[in-house]
Amino acid sequence: MTSSRRHTGRPASRPAARSSSRRTSSGEIPKPHPPRLDLAAPTGLVDGDASELLFSQHAEGLRLIGETLHGEDLTGARIVDSELIDIVLQEVTLTGATVAETRLQRLASPHLAAPRSTWRAVEVLGSRVGVAELYESGLSEVRVAESKMDLVNLRGASLTDVELSGCTLTELDLGGASVRRLRVTDTGIGTLDLSGASLDHVDLRGARLERIIGLTGLRGATISPEQLVELAPALAEHLGLDVRV
């Protein structure tokens, strides 16, 4: 894993408030708390089609299967207590949308534009997303499993009780984000950007990390001894250490 700095055209990260010390009264650092997830497949659904969502900007209690949406503006839309299976989103705008108590299976989207959106009690399974623009969004009780994403932009977002399992992420940008109870298992992350992030009970032991930006942002995370060894050169450079025999 390596560390470097770069400039992007994304919204500037706002330094998040630092988490307080996690040491107990005995001086020990407690184990990271796992995410609190109580997710279940929606039940009692009615088969529907995308026209209902497009007409009212609202879907509740629906099962949508095999739909393709192209160029639609769903700004502020609400998808609640629903299941979306084999849905393709092409140039669909979901700015400020709310997705709650919903399961997404095999979602395909080259560019998921959903900044400042809200995701609550959501599962994303077996999906393929190119760029996920989720900056300044709120995620709570979210599980993403067996999915592949190129860039996940969560700059300035708030994440609580989130799990990544069996995923491949080329880049995960958490710059300026507030992250509480995140667990990563069996997931490869090419570049992890933690610039200005605030982490609390973040378990990265199941992540295969290649490159980290913003090493200071690792405060509040748990890593494995093997990851620490891999990080050693980057940490030495970050701290200005001259290591020689």
Side-chain angles (χ1 to χ4, degrees):
M1 293 181 285
T2 61
S3 173
S4 65
R5 296 180 180 177
R6 57 175 170 70
H7 296 282
T8 71
R10 304 170 196 152
S13 61
R14 299 188 301 271
R18 286 291 174 195
S19 57
S20 58
S21 173
R22 294 169 55 201
R23 291 187 179 274
T24 65
S25 57
S26 63
E28 297 179 351
I29 297 179
K31 293 181 180 179
H33 294 170
R36 300 169 184 170
L37 300 173
D38 186 19
L39 302 171
T43 59
L45 304 181
V46 176
D47 291 338
D49 58 60
S51 62
E52 299 176 57
L53 173 61
L54 297 177
F55 176 75
S56 65
Q57 301 268 300
H58 182 88
E60 185 168 355
L62 294 182
R63 178 184 290 110
L64 305 181
I65 302 176
E67 299 272 0
T68 296
L69 302 182
H70 187 278
E72 303 291 350
D73 185 355
L74 292 174
T75 297
R78 291 178 56 82
I79 302 172
V80 181
D81 192 27
S82 295
E83 186 173 39
L84 280 61
I85 303 172
D86 295 323
I87 300 297
V88 178
L89 301 180
Q90 296 181 337
E91 303 303 323
V92 173
T93 300
L94 287 162
T95 301
T98 295
V99 183
E101 299 175 353
T102 291
R103 174 176 288 181
L104 309 176
Q105 296 190 59
R106 297 184 297 278
L107 172 72
S109 178
H111 184 191
L112 182 62
R116 305 180 186 91
S117 53
T118 299
W119 301 72
R120 184 178 68 256
V122 173
E123 284 188 284
V124 180
L125 309 175
S127 297
R128 178 68 174 94
V129 177
V131 176
E133 293 284 359
L134 297 166
Y135 57 85
E136 298 177 9
S137 294
L139 283 70
S140 61
E141 271 197 273
V142 173
R143 179 173 181 261
V144 182
E146 306 301 329
S147 297
K148 183 175 182 181
M149 304 181 180
D150 293 335
L151 167 62
V152 182
N153 180 359
L154 284 161
R155 294 183 76 81
S158 174
L159 287 73
T160 304
D161 298 317
V162 176
E163 180 176 58
L164 301 176
S165 177
C167 295
T168 300
L169 309 179
T170 303
E171 182 172 358
L172 175 58
D173 190 343
L174 293 172
S178 175
V179 187
R180 182 174 177 80
R181 293 189 299 273
L182 165 67
R183 177 171 60 197
V184 181
T185 60
D186 189 26
T187 291
I189 302 176
T191 299
L192 175 61
D193 191 340
L194 294 172
S195 304
S198 175
L199 310 184
D200 192 16
H201 295 289
V202 171
D203 191 347
L204 297 175
R205 289 174 293 178
R208 298 181 298 278
L209 301 169
E210 296 181 16
R211 178 172 176 247
I212 294 179
I213 298 172
L215 284 170
T216 304
L218 273 172
R219 180 183 176 88
T222 298
I223 61 174
S224 69
E226 294 77 14
Q227 288 172 320
L228 178 59
V229 171
E230 294 174 355
L231 271 173
L235 287 170
E237 180 182 0
H238 176 72
L239 294 172
L241 299 177
D242 182 12
V243 182
R244 63 180 70 205
V245 178

